[in-house]
Each structure stands twice: as structure tokens, then as C-alpha cells.
Amino acid sequence: KKSIHILVKITYLLILTITVLFSVYAGHSYFTYEFAIDEAKKTTLLRSQAQANNIMQDLDRHIYSKMLELQSLTEIKQIQLSVIESNQKFDGSDLVELESPLDITQSDRTELKNIFENKISARLKEFILSDTNQYNLNVVKELFVTNQYGAVIALTTGTTDHIQADEEWWQITKNKQSFVGKMEYDENYEDYVIPFAFPILDESSNYIGTIRITVSYHVLLEDFLNDADVLNEARKSVILVDNEGQAIYKNGEIFPPNSKIEYFSRFTTDNDSFEIGYPDIVFVSYATSIGYRDFSGFDWVVVIEQDSSVVEGFETLERNFLISTLIGIISATALGIILSR
């Protein structure tokens, strides 16, 4: 009996030892997997955050370079001379101190067209044609030039009022500042467009006129759309958001309906990452526009969403290991009980 009693004790001791070993190993493995999962999440978020930063910087840089290209039209000598000639024609009339829309007769308009339009419209049309060939579509929706009194002296495409002096954007350029409008849908052109306006200055940096250009969103978002397509292949969703939380681009659509970003209030820094959703977790990384050089940016935000499938492999391994460990503990306990009888 004494030997049997000792054998039972040894058996229970073995069971206890095996259980403790399994438990310690299971605990160690659990925390190892948890650490690995946490690191995988951090790596995923940081990588997406870096990608969002790069896309936003590329977008700001691309917009800036496009603005320089558009603004370069104001430096064309032929345009400057035609604007100066127009200003001289109006000099001495009631238009000098104009504060309300001009009242110009049809004969005046015809004369202005004959004198100025043929001189500078050809050069502007060359610019339009080059952009059309580059993008394989008509991206310049409106392009016209005014003199220093707000009278339109050249119109190459689009439709506009003959007088622009009462427009806010024109007043901005009159103060020798550039104007950049918001991207909106224009029913006249059946496209999302962004208007730009730049002051035309003479050699002494005096304001002499304005050039206004309205372009399709394709001009500014070309590189962004390419970047978004690349990340979509990596099972990441790229979203472009305005400063009010409205999606400009999402799921391949421009200004999709009902696309207010529900977590927009969490964008409190220039860039960051976080998780949303339960139990279906989504990783969110974002970067806000900080502009490029003297371009202050549009206050847009690039957002990258990615589902949690990137860490599902670790979670599956962790779950299977814990189940196997539990089965091992139960099996060892049952075997020990059987052998002790």
C-alpha cells in the first residue's frame, strides 16, 4: 500500500509538473504572440502613415508645379503688351475708377475682339492644346484675360461675363495676389473643376491685368489617382478628404454621395494612425496637407484604410496554439489519472 501511495504521489506530481510546464510555455507563447501582433499592427500603421505622407507631399508638390505652369502664362510678352495696349485704350474714359460692372456697347466689344483677341488667343490656344494632348481630354474648361479694369480682352474657351471687376477673385488679383478656388462640380462643363486666377504684372511689378484659368480635377489629381491605384492593389483604400470631412475621392469615385468621413474629428495632428471598428477592426493612417514652398495647400487630408487581415495570421496561430496547449494539459491529466489506478 505504501508503494502504491508513493506511486500515486509521483503520478500527481508528474501531472502537476507537466501542467505547470504547459501553462508556463502557453503563457510565454501567448505574450510572445501578443507582442508580435502588436508590433505587426504598429508596423502596418507606421508604413501606411508614411505612405499617406508621401502621397500628400507628392500631391502638394504636383499642384504647386501645375500652378507655376499656369502662372507662367502671365509672363508671356505678347499677353503683357496686349493688356497694356488695352489699358491705354481705356485710359481717360469713365472706366478708370470703375467700382461697378462696365457698360460697353456691342460695337466696343467687337472692336476689342478685333484688336486684341487675335493677338493673344493663338498663344493661349497652344497651351490648351498641349494640355489636351497630355491628358487625352479637354482639361482647360475656361481661359480668359482681363485688363486692369476688369474687361475681358481675350477668351479662348468657356463662357464668361464680359466684365469681371465686381468678382471677388478679380479683386484679389488686382491686389497682386493669386486666387485658388475650391474644387466643385460645374454643370456648365459637367465636370469637377478648380478655378485659378493670377495677376499680370509689368516689368516694374505694377498690376496691369488678370488671367483666369479653370481646369478639370484631372490636372491636379493625376499623380494622386495613380498612387491610389497602386495601393488598392495592396488591399489598401486611399481616400482624399477636404477640410470639412467630405470625401473628395473614395473607392474610385470623385465626390461620392453620402461620403462624410465619420472619424474626421480624430484628425487632430498633421499625421497619425489609429484603429476603428469592432470586431471588424480597420487600421486608419492619415496625413494633412502642409503645402509646398509658397503654396499653402488646400487643407486636404490623405487617408489610408486597411483591414486587419495583415495580423489575422498571427491571431490564428495564437488561437491554435492555445487550443493545442489546452488539449495537451487535459490529455496529460487524463493519462496520469488512468495510470494511477
Side-chain angles (χ1 to χ4, degrees), residues 23-138:
S23 299
V24 170
Y25 182 63
H28 178 268
S29 299
Y30 170 79
F31 287 112
T32 300
Y33 277 115
E34 282 294 305
F35 177 78
I37 292 172
D38 188 55
E39 288 300 306
K41 289 181 179 179
K42 289 180 180 178
T43 301
T44 299
L45 289 170
L46 289 175
R47 183 184 296 116
S48 294
Q49 187 174 321
Q51 290 171 331
N53 270 310
N54 290 335
I55 293 175
M56 189 73 259
Q57 290 172 7
D58 289 345
L59 179 57
D60 283 339
R61 188 183 300 110
H62 177 72
I63 293 174
Y64 174 77
S65 65
K66 198 63 187 180
M67 287 177 62
L68 288 183
E69 180 183 338
L70 299 176
Q71 192 173 13
S72 67
L73 293 174
T74 66
E75 301 172 1
I76 297 176
K77 202 67 178 177
Q78 187 179 21
I79 293 178
Q80 293 179 352
L81 292 175
S82 295
V83 172
I84 291 174
E85 186 178 353
S86 170
N87 293 335
Q88 291 173 345
K89 177 179 177 61
F90 284 92
D91 200 31
S93 70
D94 292 335
L95 307 178
V96 177
E97 297 180 4
L98 179 69
E99 294 182 356
S100 60
L102 300 178
D103 183 15
I104 295 183
T105 64
Q106 184 61 40
S107 61
D108 290 330
R109 297 187 184 191
T110 302
E111 183 180 4
L112 285 172
K113 179 178 180 180
N114 293 336
I115 293 176
F116 301 113
E117 185 175 7
N118 290 334
K119 289 185 178 181
I120 60 178
S121 62
R123 177 64 185 87
L124 296 178
K125 286 179 180 178
E126 289 178 8
F127 173 81
I128 294 174
L129 181 61
S130 66
D131 268 19
T132 300
N133 293 335
Q134 178 180 351
Y135 297 98
N136 294 320
L137 69 145
N138 181 21

Side-chain angles (χ1 to χ4, degrees), residues 181 195 223:
D223 289 350

Side-chain angles (χ1 to χ4, degrees), residues 37-51 236 273 283-285 304-311 314:
I37 292 172
D38 188 55
E39 288 300 306
K41 289 181 179 179
K42 289 180 180 178
T43 301
T44 299
L45 289 170
L46 289 175
R47 183 184 296 116
S48 294
Q49 187 174 321
Q51 290 171 331
K236 293 185 178 183
S273 301
F283 301 136
V284 177
S285 298
I304 296 179
E305 291 183 348
Q306 184 175 15
D307 61 39
S308 58
S309 59
V310 67
V311 297
F314 288 102

Side-chain angles (χ1 to χ4, degrees), residues 55 223-233 236 238 249:
I55 293 175
D223 289 350
F224 168 82
L225 295 177
N226 291 335
D227 290 339
D229 288 340
V230 171
L231 288 186
N232 284 337
E233 294 296 325
K236 293 185 178 183
V238 181
Y249 170 89

